[in-house]
Amino acid sequence: MQPMDRRSPDLWYTEYQKPDMRLGLRIKEILVNKQTQYQHILVVETAEYGRLLALDGAIQITERDEFTYHEMITHVAMCAHPTPKRVLVVGGGDGGVVREVIKHDSVERVTLVDIDEAVIETSRAYFPSVSCALDHPKVEIATMDALVYVKEHVDEFNVIIVDSTDPVDFAAGLYEKSFFATAANALKSDGIIVAQTESPFAEPEIVSSTFLALREVFPISFLYWGAVPTYPTGLWTYAIGSKLYDPRETRSSAPLDVRYYTKDLHHSAFILPKFLKDLIGRDAKMQTKEKACHAT
């Protein structure tokens, strides 16, 4: 272990991930520190993970590990569909999901809907390797409430990717059954939806409740997982729902320029640790019991 350069300022970014848990990264430079209409935006240069984007104190991306998240939330759904032509990205103003979606040759149009235009502009300015596809001719951007947008677009998309912030304030509705029902209407008959569902160690209630909400809407639904080092606990989950295709199988090829996702990883990501199976299985049993009680 190399000793810290004592000539450098001892300035740290600290994310309070839970009341009793936090992550700290030493800061080399503060690049953006501002409040928008919707949230606080912070961009810093860290010594360990490069540039970091935080919204309301929560890490969204770092240059060093963003690919682990963006590839897993994107390519599992995209490769489970044989010909994803129209794709909707909800949130994800940094552009990382759009970058990955565009790598699929079948895509004809990808729509990014993010309520905060300042996030998009910040990523363009400070994260060019992440936002590089936002100006692609196949990409259209709508800066508005995603809940409203999805209601207004019916039977349009093959894939919807919900790259939302944590379920608080304006993003809370994106984790509810009502949103998934609206999203189902926006999907075509072969549609697939995927949403990030937090860490099973840090937020087990969000994992289980969000997956249960999605499962009540989509006839085919699974939870899968991957690693994201700078997210709480490093273990992350994703809920995926489908109208037609089993998302555990691959039907189209993965892009060549990936760093994390592989076909083998796609299949293995659905093999859940027992504690995670128990987490979502327990809620399934509770749901069945509640329905039986109401029926009587």
Side-chain angles (χ1 to χ4, degrees):
M1 179 177 178
Q2 295 181 345
M4 186 179 74
D5 185 352
R6 296 300 178 185
R7 296 169 298 177
S8 301
D10 193 22
L11 182 64
W12 289 74
Y13 170 79
T14 302
E15 177 179 328
Y16 291 84
Q17 299 179 335
K18 294 280 287 182
D20 299 312
M21 181 175 70
R22 58 187 179 180
L23 171 69
L25 295 169
R26 188 161 66 85
I27 295 174
K28 297 169 65 177
E29 184 179 4
I30 298 174
L31 302 171
V32 177
N33 184 12
K34 67 179 181 181
Q35 180 70 39
T36 76
Q37 179 183 352
Y38 301 100
Q39 57 205 334
H40 182 265
I41 298 179
L42 179 70
V43 178
V44 296
E45 186 80 37
T46 73
E48 187 71 21
Y49 279 89
R51 287 185 179 176
L52 174 153
L53 169 66
L55 300 179
D56 283 340
I59 296 174
Q60 304 301 305
I61 58 172
T62 74
E63 288 180 313
R64 185 175 177 186
D65 73 347
E66 55 83 13
F67 70 95
T68 64
Y69 171 80
H70 288 133
E71 290 187 17
M72 284 302 285
I73 198 173
T74 302
H75 298 308
V76 172
M78 294 294 289
C79 291
H81 197 288
T83 52
K85 296 180 180 180
R86 292 293 307 274
V87 180
L88 173 64
V89 179
V90 175
D94 55 70
V97 170
V98 170
R99 179 194 65 197
E100 298 303 315
V101 168
I102 286 297
K103 293 178 180 179
H104 291 260
D105 293 335
S106 64
V107 172
E108 296 175 355
R109 173 68 64 182
V110 52
T111 303
L112 170 67
V113 181
D114 194 299
I115 198 169
D116 196 344
E117 186 175 9
V119 174
I120 298 171
E121 297 310 314
T122 298
S123 189
R124 287 184 193 272
Y126 294 95
F127 296 89
S129 65
V130 180
S131 61
C132 55
L134 291 178
D135 294 321
H136 194 284
K138 292 182 179 180
V139 176
E140 62 181 9
I141 298 174
T143 52
M144 61 179 294
D145 186 339
L147 296 172
V148 175
Y149 183 92
V150 174
K151 287 180 181 178
E152 295 175 347
H153 293 77
V154 177
D155 193 31
E156 285 195 22
F157 303 101
N158 303 111
V159 174
I160 295 177
I161 301 172
V162 186
D163 180 16
S164 61
T165 55
D166 295 339
V168 294
D169 298 329
F170 59 85
L174 300 176
Y175 290 75
E176 299 174 354
K177 178 183 175 181
S178 58
F179 168 73
F180 291 126
T182 303
N185 291 333
L187 286 167
K188 293 181 176 295
S189 59
D190 63 356
I192 297 175
I193 186 171
V194 61
Q196 71 90 6
T197 47
E198 305 285 320
S199 162
F201 287 109
E203 301 289 354
E205 297 84 3
I206 294 175
V207 176
S208 58
S209 64
T210 307
F211 177 70
L212 180 60
L214 180 139
R215 184 172 54 193
E216 290 181 338
V217 174
F218 289 88
I220 306 169
S221 56
F222 294 94
L223 195 75
Y224 68 94
W225 62 291
V228 188
T230 53
Y231 284 5
T233 78
L235 175 62
W236 214 245
T237 63
Y238 311 85
I240 189 166
S242 176
K243 291 184 173 183
L244 180 63
Y245 302 113
D246 185 336
R248 297 172 297 180
E249 304 300 323
T250 54
R251 294 170 182 81
S252 56
S253 300
L256 297 177
D257 53 343
V258 290
R259 301 170 58 196
Y260 188 94
Y261 175 90
T262 66
K263 183 177 180 179
D264 288 340
L265 187 63
H266 180 125
H267 299 149
S268 65
F270 289 92
I271 302 174
L272 303 182
K274 185 178 185 302
F275 84 94
L276 194 46
K277 291 174 66 175
D278 290 345
L279 177 64
I280 60 176
R282 180 181 66 238
D283 288 318
K285 294 176 183 176
M286 290 175 63
Q287 175 73 2
T288 301
K289 184 177 180 180
E290 288 174 1
K291 286 183 177 180
C293 291
H294 288 309
T296 57

